[in-house]
Amino acid sequence: MRRKLAAGNWKMNGTQAALAELATLAARPAAGCDVLICPPATLLSRAADAAGTAIALGGQDCHAATSGAHTGDISAAMLADAGASHVITGHSERRSDHGESDAMVKAKSEAAMAAGLTVVLCLGEDLDQREAGTTLAVIGAQLAGSLPAGATGDTLVVAYEPVWAIGTGLTPTLDQIAEVHAFLRAELTGHLGAPAADIRLLYGGSVKPSNAAEIFAVDDVDGALVGGASLKAADFGAIIDALDAA
Ligand code: 13P
């Protein structure tokens, strides 16, 4: 049985004042699903105090190396040391802002696993690819190129985030989400065999309280990776409730 996961990605949002939202979330009755918040790295240590044990914390990126001359970068071990148990890799904003290739994402993901972090590996097509009908080919290639070796349900979560749905208010149809998630499950099984059945598949892209329930009812959707709607405890709390009810 895969435990459901509500994951929030705060992206480059939040200073110390935002920890009040985390404290509000932590004060909610215990959820039946796992809850993960990925704040900016600057907040991780203090977020660990605010989150208590109810909420897991993650980084939003890590370097592939364990240490060294990489000004401005953060290693997976540093994230773990600051209180993170997870890290997002391959987010489309990292791929586009920083030119991250599948090979780089794979190296980062393997470094994260080596440091004991669970990887939340993101992939998804852009609008041109969706309109050209190449969505599954694009996603299959991203997965093949970035899947960390030896991944299991304990060390890997995969998030399907169509680039055109991120921050736009647009979402794929439920059939489109179902198609990609079924494809991802089959591809993971091809790559990893039986352990693929335990890997959680998240949908991400304009998830909000008003559409969460219908998305969570889709087969093989084990939760969500939420951007904007994770910044406010009230919104993210409603999404957690929808996941609990699914
Ligand atoms: P939004 O929920 O703001 O569309 O962002 C999704 C996302 O990119 C999460 O990683």
Side-chain angles (χ1 to χ4, degrees), residues 9 11 88 91 93 122 161 165-168 204-207 225-229:
N9 173 11
K11 308 190 179 185
I88 295 169
H91 193 282
E93 289 150 18
C122 300
E161 297 208 309
I166 295 176
T168 59
S206 296
V207 176
L225 181 55
V226 183

Side-chain angles (χ1 to χ4, degrees), residues 153-238:
D154 289 331
T155 56
L156 179 69
V157 174
V158 176
Y160 168 50
E161 297 208 309
V163 177
W164 53 273
I166 295 176
T168 59
L170 302 173
T171 51
T173 65
L174 300 179
D175 284 347
Q176 287 172 330
I177 295 174
E179 179 187 38
V180 172
H181 280 233
F183 174 76
L184 281 172
R185 181 75 61 206
E187 291 291 293
L188 281 168
T189 303
H191 289 296
L192 301 171
D198 299 326
I199 292 175
R200 291 175 289 183
L201 301 181
L202 308 184
Y203 168 76
S206 296
V207 176
K208 45 191 187 249
S210 60
N211 64 12
E214 62 181 22
I215 292 171
F216 294 149
V218 174
D219 275 355
D220 264 315
V221 172
D222 302 310
L225 181 55
V226 183
S230 71
L231 296 172
K232 291 280 169 243
D235 290 340
F236 197 56

